[in-house]
Amino acid sequence: MRLRSYRKKGLVTAQKRSCASILVQAGISILKACKFVGIDRATYYRPERDWRKADAAVIDAINAELKKSPRAGFWKCYGRLRFKGYPFNHKRVYRVYCQMGLNLKRRVKRVLPKRVAQPLEVVAQANHQWALDFMHDSLYCEKRFRTLNIVDEGTRECLAIEVDTSLPAERVVRTLEQLKAERGLPKQIRVDNGPELISAHLTDWCEAHNIELVYIQPGKPQQNGFVERFNGSFRREFLDAYLFETLNQVKEMVWFWRLDYNEERTHESLGDLPPAAYRAKLENSSLQVFH
C-alpha cells in the first residue's frame, strides 16, 4: 500500500486544487473553497510543477537501470544508482519511482480461516459423504497433467477421475454437475485447502446446493484419509505402472481402471467386496429395514 502513496497523493492534491478553482470561479472565496475541499491556501497558490521536467535526470537514470533489469524492485534499482555514483537520495528516487507507476504489487499470501480438526466419521451410506483431491503426473514427453479424484467415503467408490493439464475451480464444478445428473449430490464434501477448493466459485456452488464443505487443517492429509488411501492405490496400480504417450490415452485407460476398481477390485475394509457390490448390499439392507 505504501508504494502507491506518493503517486496517489499527487493525483488527489491536483484534483482538490482543480475543485477549489472551480468553486472560486463560481464566486466562493478562496479561503472557503480551500476549507471545503480540504487543502491549504498555500497549496492553492503554489504553481503547478511538471515533475517530469524537474526530475528528468532521475527518470533517465531509473529507465536506464530498468532497461537492464526490468523486474528490479525499488531498493535494487536505488542500490544500482548509488553504486554508479548518482547523488539522488532514496526519498527522491522513491517519489519518482512511484510517480512513474513502476512500483510492483506485493504478493500477499492468502490467509486461510482457522480450520478446526474434523473427526473422520463415515456414515455407511452411499452418496452421503464425498472426498476430493488432486494428483499430478507426466506423459512420456514430460508434459505434466493433473487428475481430480472424487471418492464416496461411505462405499469407497471412485466416482470420477478427471484428467487434464489444468483443472481450475470451474472444471471442478463442472465435474460435480455431471455427477449430480448421474447420481445426485452428497450432503458433505471433504477437501483440502488448495486454491481450486477454496475459491468462491466452488464455495458458492456448494452453498447453492446445500452441500457442506469440510476443510481439513493445512498440512494434515490424514484428516482426508479415504481419498489419500485411494490416491496411494491409484499411484501404485495406474500412474506408476504405465508410460503414457498422450493425454487421450490417459483418459481412456483411466476409465477402464476406474471401472475395474469399482466393479472387480475387492476391499478388505468392505468385507472383501468391490465398492459397487458393497453399495448394492447397503441399498438392499436399507430396503429390507424400510419394509
Side-chain angles (χ1 to χ4, degrees), residues 135 137 139 144-149 160-167 171 174-175 234 238-239 244 246-255:
M135 296 185 69
D137 207 332
L139 303 176
R144 300 185 67 81
F145 65 87
R146 304 182 75 197
T147 69
L148 168 65
N149 304 336
I161 302 178
E162 196 73 8
V163 180
D164 213 328
T165 54
S166 177
L167 295 171
R171 188 68 175 273
R174 191 176 79 181
T175 304
F234 183 56
F238 184 76
L239 295 178
F244 308 105
T246 63
L247 205 60
N248 288 332
Q249 183 186 23
V250 180
K251 295 178 180 179
E252 182 179 357
M253 292 178 64
V254 82
W255 188 88

Side-chain angles (χ1 to χ4, degrees), residues 105-111:
K105 185 177 179 181
R106 181 176 295 178
R107 294 186 63 183
V108 181
K109 185 177 181 180
R110 185 172 181 178
V111 179

